[in-house]
Amino acid sequence: MVKLYAISVLRRSDSATGDGTGTCILLKGSYDLQSVGFFQRGSVQEFLVFTSNMLVERTSPGVRKTVKENGETLVVVILHKYYYYCLLYSMSVEYLCHVYVRNDGLAAVLVSDAEYPNRVGHTLLTKVLDDVTTQTEWKTANTETLRNYKSLDAFLMKYQNPREADALTKIQAELDETKIIMHNTIEAVLERGEKLDDLVAKSEGLSAQSKMFYKTARKTNSCCNF
């Protein structure tokens, strides 16, 4: 089933060290978590924000990435937690995190299932960032000042069906000449010596409940193949 789970827009500031990393803040996020258990949705959304920030901070300006998850790491562990109980006999499910950081620091992350076309996902990211640029003062904005920006919800709903991307043919033609960096796991995006477990433990954006949820999911996933 083709599915979009989240679109996040962030602002990135480059590190003064020039090492390609940077810090970022979430400007706006839209989420479709109806397929996730009701009591897990809060933790799932926190981890989507955490993951989006982590990926944007480790993506250089002007670069596009698609990170594939296969049940071994964060996004699938979280999004697949609900299905683990309901679809015990399902095979490993893959999810994709599409990341685009513009040269001016405006960035977006799209989380989809593995069936959603990569090029359509990145085309949508371009359209989202163009709309944010036109409709908002993003360079000085924050989640509070963008409270009334509703276009992101409309994008997430409309482009659940990738056929809607037909209207984006011109943008996609330009993307055909753009290199998209592919990573098989989130760990592959981390800097040398960094560990996902440590980043989760240190995160101030994750509640104690979400961190416990993560630990339980990781432990369960290490013991079971599905």
Side-chain angles (χ1 to χ4, degrees), residues 3-4 28 31 34 62 68 83 111 124 134 136 138 150 153 169 171 175 184-186 192-193 200 215-217 226:
K3 180 70 175 177
L4 295 180
K28 188 74 176 181
Y31 310 93
Q34 295 300 312
K68 180 174 68 176
Y83 294 106
V111 180
L124 177 54
T134 302
T136 74
W138 66 270
K150 304 297 183 183
D153 296 333
T169 303
I171 300 176
L175 279 175
N184 287 326
T185 65
I186 284 182
R192 180 173 297 181
V200 170
K215 290 179 181 179
T216 302
F226 46 88

Side-chain angles (χ1 to χ4, degrees), residues 19-204:
D19 59 2
T21 63
T23 59
C24 63
I25 63 169
L26 178 71
L27 298 180
K28 188 74 176 181
S30 182
Y31 310 93
D32 184 349
L33 302 178
Q34 295 300 312
S35 59
V36 179
F38 178 80
F39 294 105
Q40 285 78 41
R41 289 176 191 171
S43 292
V44 169
Q45 184 167 323
E46 284 189 7
F47 270 103
L48 288 173
V49 173
F50 168 80
T51 303
S52 297
N53 274 272
M54 179 177 64
L55 291 174
V56 170
E57 287 174 352
R58 290 159 180 79
T59 302
S60 298
V63 172
R64 294 178 181 270
K65 290 181 181 177
T66 290
V67 182
K68 180 174 68 176
E69 292 302 313
N70 57 10
E72 297 292 333
T73 47
L74 181 64
V75 174
V76 173
V77 171
I78 301 305
L79 290 177
H80 201 270
K81 181 69 173 175
Y82 174 77
Y83 294 106
Y84 175 75
Y85 294 110
C86 297
L87 302 176
L88 187 61
Y89 300 105
S90 67
M91 301 299 288
S92 178
V93 177
E94 293 181 340
Y95 293 86
L96 300 175
C97 296
H98 307 285
V99 186
Y100 175 36
V101 180
R102 288 195 330 199
N103 285 317
D104 59 8
L106 188 61
V109 178
L110 176 71
V111 180
S112 71
D113 67 7
E115 295 182 27
Y116 203 87
N118 287 4
R119 288 289 178 179
V120 175
H122 279 278
T123 300
L124 177 54
L125 291 181
T126 297
K127 186 173 180 65
V128 165
L129 294 186
D130 287 346
D131 188 76
V132 171
T133 301
T134 302
Q135 302 297 328
T136 74
E137 298 292 335
W138 66 270
K139 291 183 179 181
T140 56
N142 54 44
T143 53
E144 184 62 31
T145 59
L146 291 187
R147 179 186 296 272
N148 294 323
Y149 176 70
K150 304 297 183 183
S151 297
L152 213 57
D153 296 333
F155 280 126
L156 187 63
M157 181 180 297
K158 180 177 182 180
Y159 291 99
Q160 290 290 343
N161 180 1
R163 292 182 180 179
E164 292 290 345
D166 288 345
L168 306 180
T169 303
K170 181 178 179 180
I171 300 176
Q172 185 164 342
E174 296 172 357
L175 279 175
D176 287 340
E177 302 301 323
T178 303
K179 180 179 180 181
I180 299 175
I181 300 173
M182 300 291 293
H183 293 286
N184 287 326
T185 65
I186 284 182
E187 275 84 352
V189 180
L190 301 181
E191 299 296 321
R192 180 173 297 181
E194 287 186 316
K195 294 183 180 180
L196 189 56
D197 290 350
D198 294 339
L199 294 177
V200 170
K202 294 176 182 178
S203 173
E204 297 180 357

